[in-house]
Each structure stands twice: as C-alpha cells, then as structure tokens.
C-alpha cells in the first residue's frame, strides 16, 4: 500500500505527491479516503427507517440515537462475516496486520457488540469483522442490522464477504471455493421466506465480477486449491445436507449419493448454510457480496468431520487469506491513505522528503545537541521561522514544523538540508 507524501512522509497536506509504502511510513493511525467517485449509496427499501428516527440495532447493541454511527462506521468499506466470534476476532487481528493498521501499544481490539451477547463485531479501519452464527435465520437478522448500520453510517457501497466452512463434493478437503451461485436444497437460486402468511421468493444472486476477481487472486505459492462453483445452502446440517449420521435418518445411503451426485452434475461444488440468505439479501439492497468457503471434508466420501483441531484451524484461515488479499489490493487501488504520525519520538524509519523541505518557507538551523553524537545519533534541535511565525522546537528526531515526519539519522537530515541549498 502506498501513501502520498504530504509535505514529507506522514504529513497531512498534499505538496510533493511522492509515494511511500505504508510499511516505510510506520504510521500509528491512518484515515482513508476513497479516490474514486462514490456510486449512489444504499437505499433502504423501507420508508419506516430514517436518519432522524430512532432505530435500535438490537442484536448489535448499537443504535442511531445512542451512538454516532457515522463517526464509528462511516469509513467502512468491507464487511466480513464468518460463523464464530473466535474466528472473526482472529480475522480482525489478521487484517489489522495485513493492512498495516496500528492500534496503540497495550490496547486490544474491542468486540463492539459485546453487550448484545449475540454477535461479535470488530472494526479495523475500513473493515468490519463480525460473527454470524449458524444458518439462515441467524445471518438474516445480522444482515438486516448490518445493512441498516451501513445506511445510518452513510456508507455508500460496501462489499460483504462471507468467510466460512462447507462440505465439498468431490474436492480435496481444504480446498477454497468461491461461490458463483447460491442454490437452495432443491437446487434453485431462490431464497424463499414466509412473510405475512405468504411465501416470498427472492433471487439469490452474487456479484459475478467480484467472484471472478477473487478467484484471480490465486497465487502459485498457495498450498491449497481455489476453485469456483455453485453452492447449495440448506437449513440443516444433517438431513438437509443428506447426512446419514444425524439423530435420525429416513433415507438410504443410495438416496444420499443419488442426490449429491445429481447436484455435482449440475455444477455444485459445496454445501453450507448461509450463502443463500447473503446472496438474496445483498442483491435485494444492491450490495456486492461474495462467499469464500473452505471444504472440511468430501461429502462423496463421508459425513463426519474428523480432521485434527490444528488442521481445521489452518484450513479455516484460508478464506481469510484470500479475503485479505482482495482487501489489500482494493485499498491499494482505490484508497488514498492520509497518514497521521502521532508519537514522533517513536518513529524511527521515516525520512523527510527533500522536495517538501524545499517548498517550505522555513529557515533551519540544525545542529546536533549532544557533544558525543555520532552519525546515528538521533537528537537534533532545529529552529525555524516562516513569514508569520517563528518557532523553536526540540525533537528527538526532528524535521520541519508542520511536517509531522521524523528522522532517526541526523547525518541524513543534515545532508538533506545542505543539499536543499538556501532556505529562505
Ligand atoms: C458451515 O458450517 C456450519 C455448520 O457446521 C454452518 O454455519 C455452515 O454454513
Ligand atoms: N458446514 C456445513 O454446513 N456442512 C459441512 O459439511 C461442513 C461444514
């Protein structure tokens, strides 16, 4: 990820336009701004919900009157949903590391929905990581509230990912499957919900381009396969998925394989329990979404999941790795990062940009403070004056005033200042 140098790395004003990587910047926090024009935002298809009317997101323990949802969530771009609180907390820390987001030392990520005791929700910069529980009813409730959250926060075009597990059909366990189409148990891409005594049918459509972009993120060094295919979504893990090992079973092994083989012939690669609702609901409100699942077993070989805990954990990280790749790529291409350097004395690796210093209308008097200072000594005092202000600052590692950047190498700073001959 790169950031424009703004009056030196980490500064907030756009002056020289140089690019530096976030790793180099060692920033402590950053803000993100979409570079591209935003498309029209989420339109809730509900006249009963409005900004100025109280709306309690009960299962998230949030509300538009009790919380400043724009302040808290206005910068969200990705909403990543997965089954368990534990897994989604793991994902939150993983994405934190992957996008170079920093939280103050000694602090931890907070489950923002902890008081609901229902779902666990973490926020890392532009990414929400939230648990959805098991099955369509659970993800349904969550999706209603997440979509309303996006609406109240003013988020225009979020992307939703489900990162989960599934059973595969004729695939090596541990394979990552990107869903092209979500099907119900009768193999139709339709989500049926009884509403006011009537069956309402909604098309369960996922964003085809997004699925394709994700599959293209496959890397030759990956030690697992990534494929795409149709996903059957059921309301039950046992009978609904044709398992013979439930508390009861009223079909034969032959019936089971007939159904699974027929599904496979129609392009079904995997079976899980939430994709249908995710596809139908996000499509209904015009949000892009994708489903990335890892297969825990081959259903054409058995029903029981008998891998070790370690193997299961390793496999469950795979959808997260792929989602993180997408997120990083997206942020790189679409987001301008405004670095904010908060604790100057802790910044070691950043160097001022000579161009910026040239632009500055400051006069510098740089000298080393310590008589024992060596080339690697990092303590300098500098004075500066501008047309309307004069300041004298001592900094552990110093640069220009207003340029929040810091240097750890006095020699380097001196050289830069010497080379930039003649500040006024
Ligand atoms: C995958 O795994 C869960 C069942 O074990 C369910 O949430 C799903 O879709
Ligand atoms: N999750 C499911 O829903 N089915 C499986 O077979 C495995 C995980």
């Amino acid at each position: 990820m790169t950031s424009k140098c703004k009056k030196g790395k980490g500064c907030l004003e756009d002056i020289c336009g140089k690019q530096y990587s976030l790793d180099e910047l060692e920033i402590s926090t950053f803000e993100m701004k979409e570079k591209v024009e935003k498309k029209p935002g989420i339109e809730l298809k509900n006249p009963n919900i409005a900004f100025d009317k109280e709306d309690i997101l009960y299962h998230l323990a949030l509300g538009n009157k009790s919380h400043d949802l724009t302040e808290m969530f206005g910068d969200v771009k990705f909403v990543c949903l997965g089954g368990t609180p534990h897994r989604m907390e793991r994902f939150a820390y993983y994405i934190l590391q992957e996008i170079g987001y920093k939280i103050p030392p000694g602090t931890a990520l907070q489950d923002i929905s902890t008081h609901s005791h229902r779902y666990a929700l973490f926020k890392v910069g532009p990414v929400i990581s939230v648990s959805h529980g098991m099955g369509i009813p659970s993800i349904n409730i969550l999706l209603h509230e997440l979509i309303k959250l996006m609406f109240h926060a003013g988020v225009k075009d979020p992307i939703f990912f489900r990162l989960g597990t599934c059973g595969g059909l004729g695939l090596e366990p541990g394979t990552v499957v990107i869903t092209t189409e979500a099907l119900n148990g009768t193999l139709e891409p339709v989500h049926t919900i009884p509403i006011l005594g009537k069956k309402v049918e909604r098309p369960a459509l996922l964003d085809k381009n997004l699925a394709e972009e994700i599959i293209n993120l496959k890397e030759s060094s990956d030690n697992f396969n990534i494929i795409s295919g149709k996903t059957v979504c059921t309301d039950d893990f046992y009978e609904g998925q044709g398992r013979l090992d439930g508390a009861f079973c009223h079909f034969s092994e032959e019936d089971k394989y007939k159904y699974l083989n027929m599904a496979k012939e129609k392009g079904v690669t995997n079976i899980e329990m939430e994709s249908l609702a995710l596809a139908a609901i996000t499509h209904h409100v015009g949000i892009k979404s994708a489903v990335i699942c890892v297969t825990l077993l081959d259903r054409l070989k058995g029903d029981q999941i008998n891998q070790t805990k370690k193997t299961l954990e390793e496999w469950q990280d795979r959808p997260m790795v792929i989602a993180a790749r997408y997120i990083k790529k997206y942020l790189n291409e679409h987001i301008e990062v405004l670095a904010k350097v908060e604790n100057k004395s802790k910044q070691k690796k950043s160097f001022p940009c000579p161009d910026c210093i040239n632009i500055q209308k400051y006069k510098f008097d740089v000298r080393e403070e310590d008589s024992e200072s060596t080339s690697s000594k990092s303590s300098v005092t500098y004075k500066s004056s501008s047309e309307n202000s004069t300041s004298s600052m001592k900094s552990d590692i110093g640069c220009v005033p207003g340029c929040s950047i810091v240097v750890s190498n006095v020699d380097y700073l001196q050289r830069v200042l010497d080379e930039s001959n003649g500040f006024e």
Side-chain angles (χ1 to χ4, degrees):
M1 193 180 300
T2 55
S3 169
K4 254 188 184 176
C5 170
K6 290 146 204 312
K7 219 199 296 175
K9 290 177 198 173
C11 298
L12 297 174
E13 285 163 53
D14 192 353
I15 294 186
C16 84
K18 286 206 167 180
Q19 300 284 321
Y20 295 93
S21 79
L22 272 186
D23 289 347
E24 280 177 291
L25 280 169
E26 277 207 19
I27 54 176
S28 51
T29 62
F30 57 88
E31 287 173 1
M32 298 191 172
K33 250 184 15 188
E34 286 263 2
K35 269 193 226 160
V36 289
E37 255 322 280
K38 288 192 172 180
K39 289 186 220 125
I42 296 173
E43 263 183 57
L44 286 188
K45 298 184 172 178
N46 185 356
N48 305 309
I49 302 293
F51 290 114
D52 53 356
K53 217 165 133 187
E54 173 148 46
D55 187 24
I56 296 166
L57 310 176
Y58 168 66
H59 302 87
L60 294 179
L62 292 167
N64 68 340
K65 295 289 175 199
S66 52
H67 297 80
D68 185 340
L69 297 177
T70 309
E71 173 71 21
M72 289 173 79
F73 296 100
D75 61 341
V76 166
K77 181 72 209 173
F78 297 97
V79 180
C80 300
L81 305 98
T84 72
H86 171 72
R87 216 192 304 145
M88 296 324 281
E89 183 170 9
R90 252 169 87 84
F91 180 66
Y93 278 102
Y94 175 63
I95 201 73
L96 177 123
Q97 174 199 313
E98 287 298 295
I99 64 173
Y101 197 79
K102 298 239 163 77
I103 53 173
T107 65
L109 291 174
Q110 191 68 30
D111 169 7
I112 295 170
S113 296
T114 187
H115 296 300
S116 78
H117 302 289
R118 295 289 183 184
Y119 305 106
L121 186 148
F122 302 89
K123 181 177 179 294
V124 178
V127 182
I128 282 179
S129 177
V130 60
S131 65
H132 59 55
M134 277 191 288
I136 288 178
S138 184
I139 199 171
N140 240 43
I141 298 169
L142 178 64
L143 286 169
H144 271 277
E145 294 186 10
L146 284 173
I147 291 165
K148 291 200 295 172
L149 177 61
M150 298 296 98
F151 169 76
H152 289 302
V155 175
K156 301 284 198 270
D157 49 0
I159 297 173
F160 282 36
F161 289 128
R162 165 166 142 68
L163 313 175
T165 60
C166 60
L169 291 187
L171 301 172
E172 191 186 331
T175 299
V176 171
V177 181
I178 316 299
T179 302
T180 52
E181 208 176 352
L183 309 178
N184 60 22
T186 52
L187 309 186
E188 290 148 339
V190 178
H191 182 210
T192 309
I193 321 147
I195 302 172
L196 303 180
K198 291 193 184 114
K199 280 186 188 171
V200 175
E201 295 193 339
R202 295 199 179 123
L205 297 177
L206 292 159
D207 192 283
K208 285 206 160 54
N209 293 336
L210 181 60
E212 212 170 296
E213 280 181 76
I214 296 169
I215 194 98
N216 288 336
L217 294 171
K218 191 174 167 156
E219 287 176 6
S220 55
S221 58
D222 287 333
N223 62 345
F224 53 90
N225 280 335
I226 311 177
I227 60 133
S228 60
K230 295 181 187 173
T231 299
V232 166
C233 177
T234 65
D235 284 337
D236 167 46
F237 184 79
Y238 289 99
E239 289 176 292
Q241 296 189 5
R243 277 189 157 79
L244 300 167
D245 61 345
F248 41 85
C249 176
H250 303 293
F251 50 82
S252 66
E253 191 170 1
E254 197 189 342
D255 293 336
K256 165 191 157 175
Y257 285 114
K258 210 168 144 195
Y259 172 73
L260 293 183
N261 281 317
M262 185 257 293
K264 187 167 179 274
E265 271 161 32
K266 291 190 170 176
V268 174
T269 47
N270 60 330
I271 311 179
E272 47 78 93
M273 297 176 64
E274 293 84 17
S275 59
L276 200 69
L278 180 83
I281 292 178
T282 53
H283 176 68
H284 194 58
V285 293
I287 288 177
K288 274 191 194 178
S289 70
V291 179
I292 311 172
C293 284
V294 66
T295 63
L296 301 184
L297 77 167
D298 180 357
R299 288 301 315 290
L300 298 182
K301 293 199 174 136
D303 292 338
Q304 299 237 312
I305 299 170
N306 52 16
Q307 301 295 335
T308 63
K309 188 171 168 283
K310 189 167 170 281
T311 301
L312 289 176
E313 285 217 338
E314 199 253 299
W315 287 354
Q316 285 171 27
D317 285 347
R318 293 175 178 178
M320 299 186 184
V321 170
I322 303 302
R325 258 181 222 167
Y326 185 90
I327 291 170
K328 280 198 290 183
K329 186 165 179 282
Y330 184 95
L331 294 178
N332 232 352
E333 289 167 3
H334 295 85
I335 302 287
E336 180 175 2
V337 178
L338 302 177
K340 274 192 202 164
V341 179
E342 280 177 349
N343 188 345
K344 293 182 185 182
S345 64
K346 294 242 165 67
Q347 306 296 311
K348 297 287 182 203
K349 275 193 203 149
S350 312
F351 295 97
C353 158
D355 296 1
C356 290
I357 292 176
N358 273 323
I359 291 163
Q360 294 274 327
K361 296 255 189 291
Y362 290 111
K363 190 170 183 176
F364 291 90
D365 170 14
V366 181
R367 62 176 185 276
E368 294 191 1
E369 268 255 300
D370 199 317
S371 56
E372 284 171 38
S373 57
T374 64
S375 61
S376 63
K377 192 83 183 89
S378 66
S379 177
V380 294
T381 299
Y382 66 87
K383 286 185 185 151
S384 70
S385 60
S386 67
E387 272 145 17
N388 27 7
S389 75
T390 304
S391 62
S392 174
M393 289 170 63
K394 184 184 169 209
S395 165
D396 241 354
I397 28 187
C399 186
V400 294
C403 169
S404 335
I405 206 58
V406 284
V407 270
S408 57
N409 184 323
V410 172
D411 260 359
Y412 177 84
L413 177 62
Q414 187 66 69
R415 203 161 10 97
V416 168
L417 293 172
D418 288 344
E419 279 167 17
S420 61
N421 51 87
F423 298 115
E424 305 167 356

